[in-house]
Amino acid sequence: MNQPIRIALIGTGMISHRHMKVWSHIPEVTVVAAADIDERALKAFGAQYGIGEENLYTDFRQMLKRDDFTAVDVCVHNNLHAPVCLAVMKAGFDCYDEKPMSASYFDSKLIYDCARVTGKKLAVQISSMFSGQTLVAKKVIDAGKLGEVYHARVCASLWRRRPHADRDAAACSAAFQDRAMAGHGALIDTGIYHIGQMLYLLGLPELDTVLGQTCQRLPVGGPAWADSRHYARLRPMGVDEMGIGFAKFKGGLTLEVCEANASNIPDMGSSFITGTQGGLEYTMSDAFGGDWSMGMPPFGQLPEFLQPTLKFYGHDDLGFAVTVDYRPYENQQDLKYYDPEMMQWFDNQLHWYNYLIGKLTDETRYNTPLIALNTSLLAEGIVLSGERGGSITAEEIRAESKSIAMWHQETPWGVFDYDSTF
Ligand SMILES: NC(=O)c1ccc[n+]([C@@H]2O[C@H](COP(=O)([O-])OP(=O)(O)OC[C@H]3O[C@@H](n4cnc5c(N)ncnc54)[C@H](O)[C@@H]3O)[C@@H](O)[C@H]2O)c1
């Protein structure tokens, strides 16, 4: 790992700082320029990370005219992912797309196809892929320990299963709850992590039919969320706080999705995979962007919600029931931090860097664009099924999905018109 890469970053809001924490762990990567329509945020970002004013842009399209960097980290709101990623790749840069790939299947497909047409190296941030849980579950499944897998479930994050309105709303910018900017809520926020990880572990099965519903029923109140005295006058979220779905795949495999940013039930159970020989239960199925991005202290001090674990239920050679409680973090702590070969499977951005320099290839890397595209298809199926009031086939989702991206954006610097063709 010694090939320098110069990159630029678009969108200097909340998540960009976590990305910068990770870049600081990879000395070969230098962020040489940044763009944001919010000049104040942009200047503060430049000052914090030592990027001079001459390298800061309020119009990212001007920045893309430069030729002294090769890749761009995209950290804008959901419904700008497609317009910005397309502009980035069409301008000749490799692209890292913060999650969700996009808020609709149609827009995700545009990003996916644009990467194929331009030949640019695209990655989508799916931090749940980069956990010991994923590595171990994959090994268990590949070793045939579950037999034939026939059913699975993904469910909401434990830290959000609170009998209160959405906690995140207080921490994130208004765009998080704004339908025009975010598109949807829980389903494509935390949901994409759980669904993406599960679809990968199930071998990206081909979707057949989806029945689902999204809903927005609970009030939310920013910093007052926990104060029941204010509960009655809290305003509703602009996006769904819950997404429920049932998917059938070709061949008969089934998957339940139960995703919520908030609900009046403290525990919705756990995610699991069950097969003819054994089962895997995920405990703490959360992933927060990886340890590096969270600026975590050395292992052992990680809070419990950052330590996704697994339980295997099966049989020994004599047919007796066995349960194995596996805590990847406890077992791999030394390896993970000090062995770069291992760390590339524990961090999104290092993974992308290794892909950029050719150490990981299309064959060996996690194909996050394809995983994210499949995730988008299923999530969109849940949305469209709810709208039509009945089940929907994969073909119908592909046909009915529409762009909800922001192709004309009003900014303090005039209207930015984006081009969806490539
Ligand atoms: N990985 C995670 O855990 C995590 C957490 C929160 C958000 N996210 C994702 O990160 C993305 C950004 O969310 P956020 O919380 O950082 O939002 P944010 O509002 O804090 O930041 C977004 C930034 O993009 C800027 N922007 C808007 N239009 C722009 C344009 N045309 N050019 C340049 N900059 C532009 C905004 O001014 C803002 O500063 C979202 O897609 C969200 O889903 C991920």
Side-chain angles (χ1 to χ4, degrees):
M1 218 175 56
N2 51 18
Q3 191 178 321
I5 295 271
R6 289 162 64 86
I7 70 171
L9 183 145
I10 303 176
T12 59
M14 194 272 269
I15 202 62
S16 71
H17 296 282
R18 290 211 216 139
H19 287 218
M20 291 304 288
K21 267 187 195 146
V22 179
W23 294 133
S24 76
H25 283 275
I26 309 172
E28 289 80 3
V29 174
T30 313
V31 180
V32 297
D36 198 302
I37 55 168
D38 179 341
E39 197 172 23
R40 218 171 59 166
L42 179 64
K43 283 188 171 168
F45 184 89
Q48 185 172 349
Y49 300 108
I51 302 171
E53 294 220 354
E54 69 284 8
N55 293 315
L56 300 177
Y57 297 81
T58 49
D59 184 342
F60 75 87
R61 297 166 302 179
Q62 295 303 321
M63 184 175 79
L64 296 183
K65 291 182 177 157
R66 285 173 56 160
D67 62 3
D68 60 338
F69 55 85
T70 55
V72 179
D73 182 358
V74 176
C75 297
V76 290
H77 311 113
N78 299 351
N79 272 345
L80 282 167
H81 288 189
V84 175
C85 288
L86 259 53
V88 163
M89 290 187 279
K90 285 194 292 183
F93 299 99
D94 295 320
C95 181
Y96 185 78
D97 180 11
E98 175 53 60
K99 69 87 191 154
M101 188 172 200
S102 213
S104 82
Y105 171 76
F106 186 98
D107 294 322
S108 296
K109 184 75 166 47
L110 279 181
I111 298 175
Y112 186 84
D113 287 344
C114 185
R116 271 192 317 137
V117 168
T118 58
K120 290 297 135 193
K121 289 186 170 178
L122 170 71
V124 180
Q125 191 281 101
I126 316 176
S127 54
S128 52
M129 294 292 303
F130 295 87
S131 75
Q133 192 182 51
T134 306
L135 282 177
V136 174
K138 181 83 169 81
K139 275 190 185 158
V140 171
I141 294 167
D142 286 353
K145 299 283 181 199
L146 303 192
E148 190 190 338
V149 170
Y150 56 87
H151 182 66
R153 178 176 202 260
V154 287
C155 74
S157 323
L158 182 63
W159 72 292
R160 286 179 176 171
R161 289 179 213 153
R162 292 159 187 263
H164 299 288
D166 179 34
R167 171 185 180 278
D168 242 16
C172 291
S173 73
F176 186 72
Q177 288 186 59
D178 177 330
R179 186 165 285 273
M181 283 300 213
H184 299 290
L187 188 59
I188 61 159
D189 181 35
T190 49
I192 61 101
Y193 287 130
H194 305 141
I195 297 169
Q197 183 197 41
M198 184 60 83
L199 291 181
Y200 163 75
L201 291 174
L202 296 175
L204 292 182
E206 193 184 343
L207 188 63
D208 184 273
T209 318
V210 182
L211 179 65
Q213 183 74 51
T214 56
C215 67
Q216 190 288 301
R217 302 298 295 269
L218 299 180
V220 70
W225 69 274
D227 186 343
S228 58
R229 282 177 302 143
H230 300 300
Y231 194 80
R233 60 181 173 80
L234 301 181
R235 67 198 158 84
M237 286 184 80
V239 288
D240 48 277
E241 87 253 329
M242 189 178 240
I244 304 295
F246 182 79
K248 280 177 74 174
F249 298 91
K250 304 266 193 240
L253 176 69
T254 48
L255 174 69
E256 300 161 66
V257 176
C258 179
E259 199 63 42
N261 274 352
S263 73
N264 286 306
I265 198 87
D267 188 350
M268 291 180 177
S270 47
S271 300
F272 62 77
I273 308 177
T274 183
T276 51
Q277 303 290 323
L280 274 180
E281 183 186 12
Y282 303 7
T283 47
M284 299 293 171
S285 52
D286 269 315
F288 269 69
D291 310 332
W292 274 354
S293 79
M294 294 301 286
M296 280 299 147
F299 278 99
Q301 297 166 39
L302 287 171
E304 202 183 353
F305 63 74
L306 280 174
Q307 302 181 42
T309 59
L310 275 176
K311 264 190 183 162
F312 169 73
Y313 301 94
H315 298 89
D316 65 16
D317 292 344
L318 297 173
F320 291 108
V322 292
T323 305
V324 181
D325 201 346
Y326 191 77
R327 297 184 172 269
Y329 279 74
E330 284 170 14
N331 297 336
Q332 292 174 5
Q333 57 187 31
D334 296 334
L335 258 187
K336 219 177 95 175
Y337 269 95
Y338 300 117
D339 179 353
E341 292 304 314
M342 182 56 104
M343 193 64 205
Q344 67 180 326
W345 300 103
F346 282 86
D347 185 83
N348 266 305
Q349 287 167 238
L350 178 60
H351 200 80
W352 184 53
Y353 167 77
N354 281 342
Y355 179 50
L356 293 183
I357 64 169
K359 191 174 162 207
L360 288 169
T361 65
D362 285 321
E363 286 69 41
T364 57
R365 71 155 175 158
Y366 283 140
N367 192 341
T368 52
L370 187 61
I371 296 165
L373 186 66
N374 278 263
T375 304
S376 236
L377 183 69
L378 204 165
E380 179 95 42
I382 292 174
V383 172
L384 293 177
S385 164
E387 284 173 9
R388 61 156 60 183
S391 63
I392 185 163
T393 65
E395 290 71 31
E396 288 170 331
I397 302 167
R398 289 190 182 93
E400 290 179 23
S401 178
K402 293 187 176 54
S403 178
I404 55 172
M406 194 171 274
W407 297 101
H408 307 280
Q409 185 188 16
E410 284 187 22
T411 79
W413 320 99
V415 176
F416 287 7
D417 284 314
Y418 302 113
D419 180 7
S420 63
T421 60
F422 46 86

